[in-house]
Amino acid sequence: MIRKKAVVALFCVLLTAAAGPQPKPAAPPGPAALPAGTATPAPTVPGAAPALTESDLGAWLDGYMPATLKAGKIAGAEVSVVKDGAVLVKKGYGYADVAARVPMDPDRTLMRIGSTSKLLTWTAVMQQVEQGKIDLNADINRYLDFKVTPPGGRAITMTDLMNHRAGFEEGLKDLLATDPKVMKSTERYLKENGRPFLFPAGAAPAYSNYGVALAGYIVQRVSGEPFEAYVQRHILAPLQMRHTTFVQPLPAPLERLMSKGYGQSDGQPSKFELVITAPAGSVSSTAGDMANFMIAHLQEGRFGNARILRPETVRLMHSPTQAMPAGFDTMAHGFFHGMRNGTLVIGHGGDTIVFHTDLNLLPEKGVGIFVSFNSRGAQNAVYGARERLFDLFMDRYFPGPATRTPPAIASAAGDAAAIAGHYESSRRVETGFISLFYLIQQDQVVANPDGTISVSSIDDKTFREIAPGLWRETEGTRQLMVSDVGGRRTIADSANPIAVLQAVPAWRNPTMFQLVAGLSLLTLLATVIVWPIAAWVRRRHRLTPTATGRAALARRLTRIAALADLLYIGGWYTVLAPILSMHVDAYNSGLDGTIRALQIAAIVPVAAAAIGVWNAVLAFRTRHDWGIRLRAAIVAVALLGFLWIAWMGGLIGWSLNY
C-alpha cells in the first residue's frame, strides 16, 4: 500500500504535469481503466467515420462526459474543440464548486493546466528565436547570470531543454506550495535549487521541470520583461485569452472564477496549488481561452488579425527536434510529436495534484482538442478518463487502418528471458531521501511463457519481438526498442519520448532492497520487544546473567542500538509521510532543520552497526552456547543491513536539495 501511494504521489506531483500528453508517456501507475458503469461510446468502424460537426461531437461528448465524471467521482471538466480556424464545441460538465453547485463554464471557469503551460513557455522561446535573441543551438550559459555545468564537456542548448535532454535529475523540493509566503521567484528557485546531473547533455531523455523553468528565465532575461508580464503582453493579449495567466496567486478578478480542485467529487476541496517552477506549469486558463491558443498554432501563428509567430517559425516549432525510428514519438520544440491512427498529433498534457489536462493538435486536419478535469477521481480514475476520451475521439472521427502484429522472430523466447528484470526510469531522483521512492518503484519486465514480455508500468499489454531488439504490442501499435546505451541495457517506449528505462545494477535491485529492509527491521523490532520480556523472565525466575563484563555491556548496547535505529527510521518517516498523503507542499526550506537533524543523526545507524559487530565478535570469543552466538550474529547482520538500506535509500547524506 505504501509503495502504491508513493508511486502515485511522485507521478502526480514530481512530474507536475507531464503524465498524459497525446502523444504521451505512459500514464502513472494505478487503475488506467474507467470504473465499472462508465458509458463507453461505441468505436467507429474504419472507413465509416462520421463527419466532425458541432452536432455530432456535442452529442458524443454529452454521452461520454457526464457518465465518466459520475463513475470516476470527478467533480467537473471542460472541453473545447477547434476546427478550420474556429471553435467547434465548448462545453462544461459537472461542477466548479460541488458544495455551492456552481457549474463549469468553459468561457469563465479557470482550471490549473499544469505542464500544458509549457506550450506557452515554448511559444515565448520561439518568439525570442524569431527575434534573434535566442539561438536554439547555443550554450544556454550565454543567456544566464549563473553557470550550469553538465558533465562530459558538452554544453546544454535550448534545444536540449525543449527535448528534455539537458541531463538533469528530477526534484521535489519547492515544486508545489499552498502558502504564498513560501513562494520563490523563478530566479531564486533556479539559483537555490540547482539540480544535479544524471547524464551528459543530449545523452538521454529525462523530463525536467527545472529545465523548463530555466527556459522561462532566459526569456525574461533576453526580453527585459518579467516572464509573466512578457507572456501576457506577447501571447495572451494578442490571442484574446482574457481568463489566462501565469501569475500566482491569482489576480483578484480571476480568483473568483477559479474552479476548486478535488481528490474526488465527494471530498473536500484542496487549497490552490502554487507551482514554484512557474514557466513549467503555473498557468490558470479556460477551455475557451485554450481554444484560441490552439487556433493560433493550427493557423501558423495567426489568430484573427493578430500574429504571435511567423508561419516559418511555427513550422519549425512543430517539426521534430530528435530523430527517432519509425513509429516512435519524439519531441518537436516542446510538443510531443507522434502518429495516432495514421494521423500526426502534437500536444502536451498536464497534471497538478488535483487538476488534469490534455491538449492535442492534428495539424494536417486543422483540428485541436483540449480537456481539463478538476479532480483526480476515485482510484485515480481521471487518467483513464482523459486517455480514453482522446482515444475514442480519434477512433470515431479519424479512424486508422486495422493493425496486425507481425509474427515473432525465432529467438523471441530467449530474448525475452535475457531482458527480463528490473529497470529504472531515466527520469528519477538519486540525490537525497526522495531517491528512496525511486528505488522501490522500479519497473519490472517479465518474460511470459508464450515468448512475449510485459512491462509493469504498461497495464494489460504484452509485446512480441518482431525484429532483433524491437518489440511490438500484441494486437496494437505501441513498440519497445531494446538497445545498449553506455554499457547499460536500455528500453525506449514508442509512446514516451521523455524517458527511457535502464536496467538496474544488482546493488539497486528493489527486491533485494525490500528483502533486506524487511528482515532487518523485523529483527530489530523483535530485539527491542524481547529485551524487556527477557529481563522480566530473569528477575521472575532469579536466573543468573549469561554474560558479564564487556560481553554484558556489548549486549546491552546492541539492544539500545536496535531501539535507536527504529527511532531513527521513525524520524525519517515523519519526513516521508507527506508524500504518502499527497501533501507535497510540505517540502520547502521550512523542513530543512528537521532534515539536517536527521542527517546528523546518521551517526546512529553507523554506530549501531559497529556495536552489533562488536557484540557478535565478543559472543564468538567467549564460551557461550551456539544459540547466543547465532542471535548475536543475526542482530549484527540486521544492524549492518539497516545501515545499508539507510545509505541506499538516500537517508545518509548532507544535501538539502532533493
Side-chain angles (χ1 to χ4, degrees):
M1 186 67 173
I2 288 178
R3 176 177 176 179
K4 180 179 178 181
K5 286 184 177 180
V7 170
V8 171
L10 285 170
F11 272 86
C12 292
V13 181
L14 224 168
L15 312 186
T16 309
Q22 280 280 356
K24 61 182 184 303
L34 294 178
T38 301
T40 304
T44 302
V45 178
L52 179 58
T53 63
E54 178 183 0
S55 59
D56 189 87
L57 177 61
W60 182 81
L61 287 171
D62 289 346
Y64 177 81
M65 293 297 292
T68 296
L69 298 185
K70 181 178 179 180
K73 293 187 177 181
I74 299 168
E78 295 178 358
V79 183
S80 60
V81 178
V82 301
K83 179 184 178 185
D84 299 331
V87 176
L88 189 65
V89 167
K90 285 187 294 188
K91 283 180 173 285
Y93 296 93
Y95 296 102
D97 184 331
V98 174
R101 311 295 282 182
V102 176
M104 299 293 292
D105 183 335
D107 285 318
R108 292 175 57 80
T109 305
L110 273 69
M111 307 283 273
R112 303 290 274 156
I113 69 170
S115 275
T116 306
S117 309
K118 289 177 171 68
L119 297 180
L120 282 81
T121 297
W122 298 132
T123 299
V125 166
M126 295 304 290
Q127 288 179 334
Q128 297 304 299
V129 171
E130 195 172 79
Q131 295 176 32
K133 295 181 179 180
I134 292 178
D135 181 338
L136 290 174
N137 299 311
D139 184 346
I140 60 170
N141 285 314
R142 175 190 297 184
Y143 312 111
L144 296 171
D145 57 347
F146 63 98
K147 290 293 184 183
V148 180
T149 308
R154 180 186 170 303
I156 297 172
T157 67
M158 184 61 73
T159 299
D160 291 327
L161 297 181
M162 296 176 122
N163 286 342
H164 294 284
R165 286 179 174 261
F168 297 115
E169 70 171 60
E170 267 290 9
L172 180 63
K173 185 179 181 180
D174 289 327
L175 188 63
L176 290 179
T178 53
D179 183 357
K181 294 178 181 177
V182 303
M183 279 287 289
K184 293 181 177 181
S185 67
T186 299
E187 177 181 1
R188 183 181 166 199
Y189 170 81
L190 292 170
K191 293 178 178 178
E192 293 182 0
N193 298 68
R195 300 309 305 143
F197 287 91
L198 285 176
F199 310 102
Y207 190 93
S208 173
N209 289 302
Y210 184 87
V212 184
L214 271 176
Y217 183 55
I218 288 172
V219 169
Q220 176 172 299
R221 286 183 53 78
V222 301
S223 69
E225 299 180 57
F227 177 75
E228 292 83 358
Y230 176 89
V231 173
Q232 172 61 42
R233 180 181 173 190
H234 298 280
I235 300 176
L236 304 181
L239 298 184
Q240 300 177 31
M241 297 172 69
R242 300 184 180 91
H243 294 87
T244 303
T245 184
F246 268 98
V247 174
Q248 306 173 109
L250 286 172
L254 297 180
E255 183 178 10
R256 61 186 177 85
L257 301 176
M258 182 69 214
S259 170
K260 296 185 182 301
Y262 299 86
Q264 56 187 55
S265 57
D266 56 358
Q268 293 300 309
S270 301
K271 294 181 179 179
F272 183 81
E273 299 164 309
L274 302 163
V275 180
I276 299 178
T277 51
S282 74
V283 167
S284 301
S285 187
T286 66
D289 276 10
M290 293 306 294
N292 295 357
F293 182 77
M294 292 191 291
I295 289 170
H297 269 276
L298 289 168
Q299 294 195 138
E300 297 190 324
R302 179 177 59 83
F303 179 78
N305 295 324
R307 178 169 290 282
I308 59 170
L309 289 170
R310 293 197 292 261
E312 60 271 23
T313 306
V314 175
R315 289 193 290 271
L316 172 64
M317 188 177 183
H318 293 179
S319 65
T321 45
Q322 186 73 29
M324 291 295 288
F328 280 74
D329 292 356
T330 185
M331 296 302 296
H333 298 88
F335 281 91
F336 286 71
H337 180 286
M339 304 297 290
R340 295 293 180 269
N341 290 358
T343 299
L344 173 64
V345 178
I346 63 174
H348 210 298
D351 302 89
T352 65
I353 294 288
V354 291
F355 287 91
H356 305 273
T357 300
D358 207 9
L359 182 153
N360 294 288
L361 303 178
L362 286 61
E364 297 166 348
K365 308 294 185 181
V367 170
I369 178 171
F370 170 88
V371 62
S372 190
F373 300 85
N374 67 359
S375 315
R376 195 168 59 254
Q379 298 181 311
N380 305 298
V382 71
Y383 300 114
R386 177 177 59 183
E387 182 174 354
R388 191 165 177 78
L389 172 67
F390 185 67
D391 287 347
L392 291 172
F393 174 83
M394 291 298 296
D395 288 346
R396 181 173 182 82
Y397 296 110
F398 304 99
T403 60
R404 176 180 170 275
T405 306
I409 62 176
S411 62
D415 294 342
I419 65 173
H422 287 93
Y423 291 76
E424 58 188 355
S425 173
S426 59
R427 183 186 185 184
R428 63 182 183 270
V429 176
E430 286 192 358
T431 299
F433 62 93
I434 296 301
S435 63
L436 171 65
F437 292 101
Y438 284 86
L439 182 61
I440 64 176
Q441 71 174 28
Q442 295 168 3
D443 270 288
Q444 186 171 9
V445 174
V446 177
N448 301 315
D450 62 357
T452 63
I453 61 172
S454 301
V455 182
S456 57
S457 62
I458 306 177
D459 295 333
D460 303 321
K461 297 186 190 306
T462 59
F463 295 83
R464 178 187 302 161
E465 190 175 26
I466 61 172
L470 183 63
W471 298 75
R472 182 165 172 171
E473 177 188 351
T474 307
E475 307 303 328
T477 59
R478 193 166 182 172
Q479 299 181 92
L480 304 175
M481 182 171 59
V482 182
S483 61
D484 187 284
V485 178
R488 194 171 179 184
R489 188 187 308 122
T490 299
I491 298 178
D493 179 353
S494 67
N496 185 0
I498 49 85
V500 292
L501 296 177
Q502 298 179 296
V504 175
W507 54 274
R508 283 185 61 83
N509 185 289
T511 301
M512 181 173 67
F513 177 85
Q514 292 178 66
L515 179 64
V516 172
L519 292 177
S520 297
L521 289 171
L522 284 173
T523 301
L524 298 183
L525 184 61
T527 300
V528 171
I529 292 173
V530 169
W531 182 9
I533 296 174
W536 179 82
V537 169
R538 284 196 304 272
R539 285 196 302 270
R540 173 82 174 178
H541 297 283
R542 298 180 180 179
L543 300 176
T544 302
T546 56
T548 59
R550 286 199 307 164
L553 175 63
R555 186 178 299 180
R556 188 176 304 113
L557 289 177
T558 299
R559 291 163 175 169
I560 293 172
L563 177 59
D565 271 359
L566 293 176
L567 293 174
Y568 170 80
I569 199 66
W572 271 112
Y573 180 79
T574 65
V575 172
L576 298 168
I579 291 180
L580 306 181
S581 57
M582 310 290 276
H583 292 153
V584 183
D585 55 321
Y587 297 100
N588 54 58
S589 57
L591 200 59
D592 286 357
T594 301
I595 294 173
R596 182 64 82 208
L598 287 168
Q599 290 173 336
I600 294 171
I603 190 64
V604 169
V606 174
I611 290 169
V613 171
W614 179 47
N615 180 57
V617 169
L618 289 179
F620 276 84
R621 284 181 176 176
T622 57
R623 295 183 177 181
H624 291 307
D625 61 46
W626 279 102
I628 292 176
R629 294 178 181 181
L630 181 60
R631 286 196 296 272
I634 290 173
V635 174
V637 170
L639 290 167
L640 286 168
F642 185 90
L643 175 61
W644 181 76
I645 65 173
W647 174 262
M648 286 294 298
L651 306 185
I652 296 177
W654 201 246
S655 175
L656 292 174
N657 188 15
Y658 47 86

